[in-house]
Amino acid sequence: MPDTTPPLYQREADILYLIDSFRNRTLPAAEWTHHAHLVTALWFNKTFSEYEAICYLRSGIITYNLQSGGENTPAKGYHETLTLFWCKIIRSFINQHPDIPLPELCTIFLQSEQASRDLPLRFYSREKLFSVEARAIWIEPDIAPL
């Protein structure tokens, strides 16, 4: 019998569970995956203005990392350039699809090349992207403009 369980984040309830758990800092660390980061950014960017979304994501990721036993150091944890990079990519995607409901938007985005974990490396050299400077503040891409 085929598995008919919908993939993660195709249902509004799954998205809201993720957002509530992230905001309450009760999301298990194993569930804080790349896709969970992207869906969280999609929700905040669809729900709030650009700068409000950035503020909520920045503070949320920093406190979530600490609450879940992680760190925010010059070498790991919160990364300003990656957070803002994904916000820019996601905001552009949302603007291109303004009338699509969030669950469908998540599905389309997560299935697109834009959701690739390696996407930032099309714009940044590895050395630049993983520098202490890039972790601390926004830096412009050094390979291709956004």
Side-chain angles (χ1 to χ4, degrees):
M1 180 180 228
D3 183 6
T4 57
T5 306
L8 219 45
Y9 311 125
Q10 281 193 338
R11 297 179 325 150
E12 182 102 17
D14 295 329
I15 295 166
L16 294 178
Y17 161 79
L18 170 65
I19 299 306
D20 289 343
S21 299
F22 170 74
R23 291 178 104 177
N24 296 329
R25 292 174 249 336
T26 57
L27 183 72
E31 292 180 33
W32 189 227
T33 63
H34 175 65
H35 280 181
H37 277 78
L38 297 179
V39 169
T40 300
L42 274 159
W43 185 86
F44 277 99
N45 277 281
K46 187 148 174 81
T47 305
F48 297 102
S49 74
E50 176 182 6
Y51 297 115
E52 288 173 321
I54 289 168
C55 287
Y56 285 127
L57 285 164
R58 181 184 289 130
S59 64
I61 293 168
I62 289 169
T63 56
Y64 174 81
N65 287 347
L66 294 174
Q67 185 70 28
S68 63
E71 300 177 81
N72 298 301
T73 70
K76 57 185 174 176
Y78 181 76
H79 193 298
E80 180 76 356
T81 298
L82 280 175
T83 299
L84 296 181
F85 171 86
W86 286 112
C87 282
K88 290 173 188 294
I89 296 296
I90 286 168
R91 174 85 38 190
S92 174
F93 186 82
I94 290 169
N95 289 341
Q96 292 168 18
H97 305 91
D99 300 323
I100 296 179
L102 185 64
E104 187 179 345
L105 193 68
C106 289
T107 298
I108 294 167
F109 185 78
L110 293 178
Q111 292 175 352
S112 76
E113 287 185 19
Q114 289 179 297
S116 170
R117 181 185 296 273
D118 295 328
L119 184 68
L121 294 173
R122 294 182 194 168
F123 299 87
Y124 292 92
S125 64
R126 186 171 292 281
E127 178 181 314
K128 185 101 166 168
L129 185 61
F130 295 109
S131 68
V132 173
E133 179 185 17
R135 186 172 290 281
I137 63 171
W138 165 256
I139 58 169
E140 293 292 332
D142 61 338
I143 293 177
L146 278 176

